Amino acid sequence: IPRLRDIEPAAWDACAGSDNPFVSHAFLNALEESGSATPETGWVAQHLVLDDGTGGVLGAVPLYLKSHSYGEYVFDHGWAAAYEQAGGRYYPKLQVSVPFTPVTGPRLLSRPGLGATAGGVERALIAAVEELARRHGASSVHATFLPEPQWRGLGDAGWLLRTGYQFHWQNRGYGSFDDFLGALASRKRKAIRKERRAAERSGLVVRVLMGPEVGELHWDAFFRFYQETSDRKWGDPYLTRAFFSRLGAAMPERIVLILAERDGIPVAGALHLMGRDTLYGRYWGCHGDHKFLHFELCYYRAIDFAIANGLARVEAGAQGPHKIQRGYLPRRTYSAHWIRDPALGDAVRNFLAHERVEIEADMRMLAEHSPFHRDHGSPPA
């Protein structure tokens, strides 16, 4: 399917479920219709749908044919360079993912209530992805930010398995932010209080806007912040201004926009999306230099919101060992890779074996810097 709008939203969402906003028809369609994830930007939609022969949808896969490796957050640039130096052609490749979104969620989508048939649906989707790769002459397929059961299922199908990590905050039934602070070692607790006091003394007013409270003027301001941050860190921004308007219109119940204002004028913002039990931090931007404001809007206010709304966790996006000292601990992420050329597959398999050892060592080292009391323990990785 070359455009998500050609798929009935209710049929897609029946497979995607309601837990994770990023695999919803509304989010993926907003990326395409806004000009963010399009053939012109190197994301050629090739979504797969498995029907039951009568027009009913049993399963689906968000899938893109790509001519580059940008906007993925699971890096294979080294694989591409090595293969092309050896005379191979790495691009095009197929990407099973949500563009520009390093958030774990289902990638092999299947309608609930299938019972014993569900395994067959998943296997059929995997076989279809592989066949499409062959037809396109793609070097490889990459399914990124998978839930662990789907990751293992792809491993059983012969795909190469890769791990990484992000930093997530876990809600252990805290009744307030102070309850969370009480679980930290004294020095870490004092440091966070100092950062929050500094942010409060800045004279900025912080507002949490949800759903219909977010208007076009708010999106205008936030997009300016997003552009400034993108210019500083990555160059050209991935997302268009139209994406944010479409997002706000299509899924307002998921939007949590935290703005800092001076005299009623926004100077910084953090955009979060809310899932069934998780708050997902997505984008941040700021005009000017405001000490500790990034931590306040992206991390501490997110924790406040999660506690107040009974959410189980906050996922604050990619990168950032600095998050550990603020209660966000390392958690594994999972991706799986199908390589058409056996020689390239052997090289990648060898690379992944060494990388996995390094990832586990990194996670053990990072866990030693946990800010929690030693007797408090750490949630499972």
Side-chain angles (χ1 to χ4, degrees):
I1 308 292
R3 298 176 304 184
L4 205 73
R5 71 185 185 194
D6 295 336
I7 304 172
E8 174 62 36
W12 180 276
D13 287 340
C15 299
S18 59
D19 290 353
N20 186 295
F22 302 100
V23 291
S24 69
H25 189 282
F27 188 89
L28 293 169
N29 191 55
L31 287 171
E32 294 181 15
E33 295 299 309
S34 68
S36 300
T38 65
E40 291 74 23
T41 62
W43 294 81
V44 181
Q46 298 283 283
H47 307 305
L48 291 179
V49 169
L50 176 66
D51 68 43
D52 60 7
T54 65
V57 176
L58 296 175
V61 181
L63 184 64
Y64 302 86
L65 188 69
K66 296 201 64 192
S67 58
H68 57 70
S69 293
Y70 298 106
E72 298 167 9
Y73 301 91
V74 175
F75 302 113
D76 64 345
H77 299 88
W79 306 356
Y83 194 49
E84 291 177 3
Q85 286 173 7
R89 186 168 68 97
Y90 194 75
Y91 302 105
K93 66 175 188 176
L94 282 172
Q95 189 75 23
V96 181
S97 69
V98 178
F100 322 122
T101 307
V103 171
T104 294
R107 300 293 182 258
L108 306 172
L109 314 179
S110 60
R111 198 172 72 201
L114 295 177
T117 310
V121 167
E122 187 168 294
R123 288 190 293 273
L125 293 173
I126 294 170
V129 170
E130 294 174 359
E131 175 59 22
L132 191 62
R134 294 186 186 96
R135 292 184 184 184
H136 279 301
S139 70
S140 50
V141 186
H142 308 267
T144 50
F145 295 100
L146 294 156
E148 187 176 359
Q150 291 191 355
W151 178 72
R152 294 192 181 280
L154 285 164
D156 291 341
W159 291 40
L160 303 180
L161 300 181
R162 190 177 193 183
T163 56
Y165 58 84
Q166 290 179 339
F167 299 91
H168 300 166
W169 178 85
Q170 300 287 133
N171 188 351
R172 297 189 170 193
Y174 304 119
S176 66
F177 195 90
D178 281 341
D179 282 352
F180 157 62
L181 289 180
L184 304 182
S186 174
R187 186 166 59 88
K188 306 301 184 183
R189 182 166 60 246
K190 290 177 181 177
I192 290 176
R193 284 179 171 151
K194 180 179 178 181
E195 290 178 355
R196 299 206 77 178
R197 284 196 300 269
E200 291 170 3
R201 287 195 299 268
S202 67
L204 299 173
V205 175
V206 177
R207 300 173 62 203
V208 179
L209 304 177
M210 298 179 62
E213 297 175 317
V214 182
E216 289 303 305
L217 291 178
H218 300 118
W219 288 130
D220 285 342
F222 183 78
F223 185 66
R224 287 196 299 271
F225 305 148
Y226 167 71
Q227 283 184 303
E228 290 182 24
T229 300
S230 297
D231 289 343
R232 288 196 302 270
K233 291 187 175 182
W234 310 300
D236 294 334
Y238 293 133
L239 302 173
T240 66
R241 169 63 181 84
F243 168 75
F244 295 98
S245 290
R246 286 184 173 274
L247 189 69
M251 45 198 310
E253 74 284 357
R254 303 286 198 172
I255 301 297
V256 181
L257 179 61
I258 304 177
L259 290 177
E261 299 177 344
R262 187 181 300 281
D263 300 326
I265 299 174
V267 300
L271 175 61
H272 307 260
L273 267 66
M274 182 165 54
R276 179 181 61 82
D277 63 358
T278 303
L279 186 67
Y280 301 94
R282 293 307 308 120
Y283 306 106
W284 143 266
C286 181
H287 180 68
D289 185 21
H290 304 275
K291 195 171 184 180
F292 301 125
L293 190 59
H294 174 255
F295 301 149
E296 179 66 20
L297 299 193
C298 295
Y299 307 147
Y300 303 144
R301 294 286 176 152
I303 291 173
D304 280 334
F305 185 92
I307 292 172
N309 290 274
L311 301 178
R313 67 189 60 83
V314 178
E315 296 190 13
Q319 304 174 343
H322 61 277
K323 296 171 185 172
I324 292 179
Q325 303 309 312
R326 291 154 185 96
Y328 291 73
L329 299 183
R331 298 288 173 266
R332 287 185 190 87
T333 58
Y334 302 96
S335 63
H337 309 268
W338 180 88
I339 310 292
R340 189 158 60 96
D341 184 330
L344 177 60
D346 288 342
V348 170
R349 183 179 294 105
N350 183 59
F351 169 84
L352 293 177
H354 289 86
E355 183 189 53
R356 194 170 299 117
V357 173
E358 294 176 1
I359 290 290
E360 293 302 312
D362 284 351
M363 290 187 65
R364 287 193 299 271
M365 181 272 293
L366 290 166
E368 292 176 359
H369 296 279
S370 167
F372 292 94
H373 291 304
R374 290 299 180 185
D375 58 357
H376 188 74
S378 296

